[in-house]
Amino acid sequence: MAETVLPNNGHSIRGRHEFRGIRTVEHYFTVPLDHAAESPTGSGETISVFAREYSSTAHTPEAASRLPWLLYLQGGPGGRGNRVTSLSGWMKAAAKDFRILMLDQRGTGLSTPVEPKSLERRGDAEAQAEYLTHFRADSIVADAEHIRSVLDSGPWSVLGQSFGGFCALTYLSFAPEGLREVLITGGLAPLQGAADRVYQATFRRVAARNAEYFSWYPEDRELVTRIVRHLEEQPEFLASGERLTPERFQMVGSFLGGNGRVDALHYLLEDAFIETSNGPRLSESFLEQVRALVSRGTNPLYAVMHESIYGQDEATDWAAWRVLRDYPEFEPGAEAPLLTGEMVYPWYFEQDPSLAPMREVAGLLASKKDWKPLYDTERLATNTVPVAAAVYKDDIYVDHDLSLETAAAVRGLQPWVTADFHHDGIGEDGEGIFGRLLGMVRTAR
């Protein structure tokens, strides 16, 4: 369809589609780069934020247009909104009563992109780093409030997964008037303290998850060590040309963060070695699977901004890299090296060609000392918006104990603590989790 530009509000609709029980509308919004510097005349730099609206064809278009909004804030940072081809899981449950708005958070997807090539236009590394300070949760929330106003919506419901839950806490801190109710899955961020305490907690949980995994697949304990030692002695190269190092291989531990994905790790590892005329080598199949796991080519914003999500009033200073020294069992040279989680280290920007152009920028962000607060603890202590949060007991990405500390600091927040799911719980039983959390906030109203 032809683009529909709505008058005087920087909002356009560039596509409407219907397929397999889904109706979608493609929205583009013009928003200030720096909401705090926005002037009454609307001058200043702007960027574009894309959002896709999903509704069920079980509702007529007219009936769907009258449904309340549910804003979904995805995990990340640096991940675009979900692209779905059918309504399943939590979206199937939500679409019965809501229109779902799926943001491509600023810098991702069809929003004004952040990639090394686009950042070059900003100037030198300092200019690029300054630009990226506007891509944290506070700016994402300001975008959401701007969009809510443009859509002429009353307070809307929000579902935040992982980093999206962090954003929801920022929303509760600075714009609670825009919220009807908040659901959070695996995303209760620590409200105070240095990033170090996050990694002290998560390294312990990742170590425990390694032990659990190797108790299920004891043959993989020797295999992981064998792969690490092989990579120390024998150069192996990914299809993109760079050498696969032992520490990069350890990143496949990202599989440990899920109930379903954890078993897929075994299937990955069993493909590792083949016999060649020059002895055992890593198979092309294995190397290609690993490349997809360890490259940040599709979401460089994740790596460059990851630790900044914990930055408040002090530098993060490569927190995971520093804390790693307290956990030598994760070092490649350990007798039985463990697999790592989602931690980001400075060597990422040396070993991953897609990140190399951002190396200096990442260093500047790591050393930035004057990050603005992301949460208002006094306002959260007097919160009146109904909030329910799924807290996963063994989550290796968002620590259970820190999550409960945050839950206790937000007035009226109801935590549901469960050992039945890991960080990807919403993907495993999204319909059940969404229904339970929605019932909790509606009962509390």
Side-chain angles (χ1 to χ4, degrees):
M1 60 164 288
E3 178 177 356
T4 302
V5 180
L6 304 176
N8 302 320
N9 60 7
H11 174 209
S12 64
I13 294 172
R14 303 185 191 176
R16 299 176 187 270
H17 306 283
E18 192 171 308
F19 52 93
R20 287 183 292 281
I22 300 179
R23 186 179 296 112
T24 68
V25 183
E26 297 167 1
H27 298 267
Y28 289 79
F29 301 91
T30 300
V31 302
L33 171 64
D34 182 358
H35 286 271
E38 184 181 9
S39 73
T41 60
S43 61
E45 185 174 357
T46 61
I47 59 174
S48 177
V49 172
F50 172 80
R52 182 173 276 114
E53 171 188 345
Y54 291 96
S55 62
S56 171
T57 56
H59 305 287
T60 66
E62 294 74 18
S65 69
R66 294 191 294 270
L67 291 174
W69 288 103
L70 172 70
L71 173 69
Y72 179 69
L73 297 171
Q74 73 271 17
R80 67 180 188 173
N82 299 347
R83 269 61 173 166
V84 303
T85 57
S86 64
L87 290 173
S88 61
W90 72 265
M91 292 185 71
K92 180 180 179 181
K96 296 175 182 177
D97 302 301
F98 294 96
R99 284 182 288 171
I100 300 165
L101 193 67
M102 187 81 66
L103 286 187
D104 279 356
Q105 295 168 7
R106 54 169 53 199
T108 74
L110 295 178
S111 298
T112 300
V114 170
E115 295 184 358
K117 290 180 181 178
S118 65
L119 276 180
E120 289 175 357
R121 301 174 56 196
R122 308 301 309 184
D124 61 15
E126 290 187 0
Q128 294 177 31
E130 172 58 28
Y131 179 69
L132 290 175
T133 64
H134 302 298
F135 286 78
R136 297 205 305 159
D138 50 351
S139 296
I140 293 168
V141 166
D143 289 343
E145 270 298 273
H146 179 95
I147 290 169
R148 186 179 69 86
S149 175
V150 169
L151 294 176
D152 196 25
S153 170
W156 55 14
S157 304
V158 167
L159 170 61
Q161 157 66 11
S162 189
F163 172 67
F166 291 26
C167 294
L169 290 168
T170 301
Y171 215 144
L172 287 164
S173 294
F174 300 117
E177 66 279 3
L179 300 171
R180 178 188 182 194
E181 59 208 356
V182 173
L183 316 179
I184 296 173
T185 55
L188 288 181
L191 303 178
Q192 296 176 309
D196 298 48
R197 66 197 296 254
V198 172
Y199 294 108
Q200 289 286 353
T202 52
F203 270 119
R204 289 193 296 269
R205 292 207 182 273
V206 176
R209 187 63 164 166
N210 269 265
E212 186 174 36
Y213 174 80
F214 291 128
S215 73
W216 297 331
Y217 296 102
E219 65 272 32
D220 288 355
R221 174 59 279 175
E222 180 181 350
L223 182 54
V224 165
T225 302
R226 181 187 175 195
I227 294 170
V228 170
R229 298 292 172 260
H230 174 83
L231 290 171
E232 290 174 339
E233 299 168 2
Q234 174 66 58
E236 296 277 9
F237 295 89
L238 302 177
S240 45
E242 72 268 27
R243 183 172 178 175
L244 177 61
T245 61
E247 57 267 32
R248 261 187 113 186
F249 159 69
Q250 289 175 277
M251 292 168 63
V252 304
S254 60
F255 273 120
L256 298 173
N259 263 349
R261 296 181 72 236
V262 67
D263 299 297
L265 176 58
H266 175 68
Y267 299 141
L268 168 70
L269 294 173
E270 70 182 6
D271 281 345
F273 285 100
I274 59 171
E275 289 296 327
T276 75
S277 57
N278 295 315
R281 297 294 299 270
L282 296 181
S283 72
E284 292 299 328
S285 172
F286 174 77
L287 290 170
E288 184 60 22
Q289 292 175 77
V290 169
R291 185 197 63 79
L293 294 169
V294 305
S295 172
R296 289 296 173 192
T298 60
N299 60 342
L301 192 60
Y302 174 90
V304 77
M305 295 298 294
H306 186 77
E307 285 198 357
S308 77
I309 67 177
Y310 303 112
Q312 298 190 94
D313 301 320
E314 61 182 308
T316 57
D317 192 24
W318 297 114
W321 183 238
R322 290 183 291 99
V323 171
L324 177 63
R325 299 166 191 161
D326 297 333
Y327 297 89
E329 60 269 35
F330 287 96
E331 295 285 355
E335 181 178 354
L338 300 184
L339 300 172
T340 56
E342 66 171 358
M343 299 78 169
V344 172
Y345 310 113
W347 55 257
Y348 271 30
F349 298 86
E350 301 169 2
Q351 297 188 17
D352 187 341
S354 65
L355 296 178
M358 306 174 80
R359 178 181 176 184
E360 187 177 356
V361 175
L364 289 170
L365 292 173
S367 64
K368 181 177 171 61
K369 298 179 180 179
D370 56 347
W371 290 112
K372 296 178 181 178
L374 292 169
Y375 312 107
D376 183 332
T377 55
E378 292 184 3
R379 178 170 275 186
L380 291 173
T382 58
N383 170 63
T384 58
V385 178
V387 187
V391 177
Y392 306 128
K393 187 174 182 297
D394 301 308
D395 195 330
I396 68 170
Y397 295 140
V398 180
D399 180 69
H400 161 270
D401 295 342
L402 294 179
S403 294
L404 291 185
E405 175 187 295
T406 295
V410 181
R411 181 177 179 269
L413 189 153
Q414 302 178 76
W416 166 42
V417 180
T418 175
D420 292 338
F421 304 102
H422 276 258
H423 196 69
D424 63 351
I426 197 171
E428 188 173 0
D429 183 20
E431 193 168 0
I433 291 172
F434 178 85
R436 178 163 184 155
L437 295 179
L438 186 64
M440 289 168 68
V441 294
R442 295 288 169 89
T443 301
R445 193 174 297 280

